Amino acid sequence: MDDTRLQQLLTQYFDNTIARADCEDLLNYLDEGSPSIVAMAIDQALETNKAAGSSFNPDRKKNVYSRVVSEIHALQTTPTQQATPHKLYTFPWMKIAALFMAALIVGILLYENQQSGADTSSIASESENSITLPEHNQAILTLADGSTILLNDSLNGILAHESGVEIRKAEDGSIFYEAKQASVADGTINYNTFSTPKGSSYQILLPDGTKVWLNTATSIRFPVAFTEEERHVSLLRGEAYFEVTHNASKPFSVEVNGSTIQVLGTHFNVSAYADENRTTTTLVEGSVNVSKNGKTVLLKPNQQAVVDELTGAIRQSDADVRSVMAWKNGYFRFDDESIEGIINKISRWYDIDAVEYEGEFNERFTGTFQRSKNIAQLFSYLEKLAPIRFEIKERRVVIMK
């Protein structure tokens, strides 16, 4: 679907003039399309609606979260409703529910805030000089001799020569290794470590051509050249997505928290943040074996294995791949998430020193949020969905009833 067609359908959707067949096409595209493209298109459509003088009834703002979530759950569990698009927009707030299901729980609330003429919140003004994202995407490359190279978006070209390998940074921001000689004379295996700080993610191309995307606060260790019979890398902490180059003669494996992920030529995601006490491997394509303490499970696409790091138990289940991969596409995605769970996830991205809770919080939230946006915007949206208040004091967040 081209941009012009998408904008046309979104405009018709918001002013409730969309035809039934067109509505079905739009919702299917929103559900399956690129999150970044969808978000930009909806932002533009909302701005067009604003300029045209449209507005949401203030009564619909009250308890919008509970109404939206109940409708989403109904749509997800009742196939006949999904197949009858007019039921999605019989009432205006149901249109919002369908859009939230696709990608934009916070975008609608941003639009409501703009329509009401509200000024920038006190949260946003406080956070401008406290909890901010880095100006450039950053990473640290640690060479075998212990020296480090600080990387950012503005640094391109040759970074280092090591063990007959040239390490380069491409114009698209990725790091790649290019062999300049066949082997290392003394047979020594040199290792590099690649790390991302909070607020940054990075892509690297391993010496065998395997692509790896590193999420925030992630560190991976790998040989400068895969000279042995097997290819081994270690995920030291954090989360990474792998697209492994197939080589039947050199099996690929990832070591993480004492677990081994044996790869058979595949795409998969591994999350191993220390604060979760678990390692989660989600398979997108191909197959992998996940093993620990003599226990092994074989994953098929759209499945995941969760290793409990306290007991060593491995639990296998179906996976919501789009939710798992939201970080790679530049989003947070929350699915019936508690406020504690949301704060735990965003604390890895935004540089938050401490969090204090004043009161009990039973609310749960569903939706997506662009990681490039200011944390104060997320807090502002959450305050509109539930009786919760946020304060930012330097790099500390206080959450109150």
Side-chain angles (χ1 to χ4, degrees):
M1 183 180 296
D2 61 42
D3 291 344
T4 302
R5 174 63 172 163
L6 179 57
Q7 284 296 320
Q8 178 186 26
L9 292 182
L10 284 169
T11 300
Q12 293 174 352
Y13 192 86
F14 280 116
D15 63 22
N16 209 18
T17 62
I18 192 168
R20 178 171 176 173
D22 288 341
C23 182
E24 189 173 273
D25 289 343
L26 175 61
L27 294 181
N28 286 337
Y29 179 82
L30 292 177
D31 192 41
E32 299 172 2
S34 165
S36 58
I37 294 176
V38 167
M40 287 187 292
I42 294 177
D43 283 344
Q44 185 175 340
L46 290 172
E47 188 65 27
T48 300
N49 253 246
K50 173 188 174 183
S54 302
S55 63
F56 291 103
N57 188 322
D59 292 339
R60 291 202 299 274
K61 296 179 183 179
K62 185 177 181 179
N63 298 324
V64 66
Y65 166 73
S66 60
R67 298 167 71 182
V68 167
V69 171
S70 64
E71 178 65 14
I72 290 174
H73 287 172
L75 292 171
Q76 290 175 333
T77 57
T78 310
T80 56
Q81 290 184 347
Q82 291 183 6
T84 313
H86 71 276
K87 289 188 178 180
L88 299 179
Y89 57 98
T90 300
F91 301 102
W93 73 267
M94 289 186 180
K95 296 194 303 180
I96 302 175
L99 221 54
F100 277 36
M101 178 179 65
L104 207 68
I105 190 170
V106 294
I108 295 295
L109 292 171
L110 172 60
Y111 177 57
E112 290 180 345
N113 191 44
Q114 292 171 335
Q115 285 297 106
S116 65
D119 295 328
T120 303
S121 69
S122 59
I123 295 177
S125 60
E126 285 184 54
S127 67
E128 286 176 357
N129 297 315
S130 52
I131 302 176
T132 58
L133 294 172
E135 292 184 6
H136 298 284
N137 212 29
Q138 300 175 348
I140 300 173
L141 174 62
T142 304
L143 303 178
D145 62 3
S147 61
T148 59
I149 301 174
L150 302 180
L151 306 173
N152 59 50
D153 287 336
S154 62
L155 177 66
N156 294 321
I158 299 174
L159 303 177
H161 291 87
E162 193 170 40
S163 303
V165 174
E166 190 172 83
I167 307 171
R168 289 177 171 267
K169 183 172 182 292
E171 291 185 1
D172 65 0
S174 62
I175 305 297
F176 66 94
Y177 287 65
E178 183 178 358
K180 291 300 182 181
Q181 62 187 58
S183 61
V184 181
D186 61 2
T188 301
I189 301 176
N190 289 323
Y191 289 86
N192 283 181
T193 301
F194 198 88
S195 305
T196 55
K198 286 186 176 183
S200 292
S201 58
Y202 235 93
Q203 179 185 346
I204 62 174
L205 193 68
L206 297 184
D208 66 334
T210 291
K211 296 178 181 179
V212 185
W213 286 259
L214 282 71
N215 198 357
T216 181
T218 295
S219 184
I220 185 174
R221 182 174 183 266
F222 53 91
V224 173
F226 290 108
T227 57
E228 296 189 318
E229 294 181 357
E230 296 186 2
R231 296 170 288 168
H232 296 288
V233 302
S234 298
L235 180 62
L236 305 179
R237 60 184 172 88
E239 183 171 21
Y241 174 71
F242 295 82
E243 291 186 356
V244 178
T245 297
H246 179 69
N247 186 343
S249 64
K250 284 190 176 185
F252 189 99
S253 64
V254 179
E255 302 290 333
V256 51
N257 290 335
S259 297
T260 299
I261 303 166
Q262 184 181 5
V263 179
L264 308 175
T266 189
H267 300 178
F268 63 101
N269 190 80
V270 184
S271 178
Y273 287 106
D275 57 9
E276 290 186 337
N277 291 319
R278 63 177 181 268
T279 298
T280 303
T281 302
T282 305
L283 185 62
V284 177
E285 179 182 313
S287 61
V288 296
N289 281 320
V290 180
S291 60
K292 184 168 185 175
N293 299 333
K295 305 171 185 176
T296 302
V297 299
L298 174 64
L299 294 183
K300 297 179 181 179
N302 301 317
Q303 290 185 335
Q304 65 182 195
V306 180
V307 178
D308 187 322
E309 299 304 338
L310 300 179
T311 65
I314 305 178
R315 178 174 55 85
Q316 184 176 0
S317 63
D318 292 334
D320 183 348
V321 172
R322 284 185 299 176
S323 290
V324 172
M325 297 310 304
W327 71 267
K328 182 174 173 288
N329 296 321
Y331 281 79
F332 296 106
R333 182 162 176 164
F334 309 120
D335 183 14
D336 198 29
E337 195 93 43
S338 67
I339 191 63
E340 292 86 354
I342 290 175
I343 294 298
N344 191 43
K345 287 182 178 179
I346 68 173
S347 292
R348 300 171 191 151
W349 181 251
Y350 299 103
D351 196 3
I352 300 174
D353 284 346
V355 180
E356 296 179 11
Y357 295 92
E358 297 182 1
E360 295 184 2
F361 303 89
N362 300 315
E363 296 81 7
R364 306 191 75 83
F365 302 85
T366 295
T368 62
F369 184 77
Q370 287 177 297
R371 301 205 306 179
S372 61
K373 295 192 178 222
N374 193 299
I375 190 174
Q377 291 177 286
L378 174 58
F379 289 163
S380 179
Y381 304 148
L382 294 176
E383 287 182 341
K384 291 178 173 64
L385 293 175
I388 296 176
R389 289 193 303 115
F390 296 85
E391 285 187 5
I392 298 174
K393 300 179 179 179
E394 295 182 347
R395 310 194 81 81
R396 182 166 51 93
V397 175
V398 181
I399 308 171
M400 302 162 286
K401 279 292 190 179

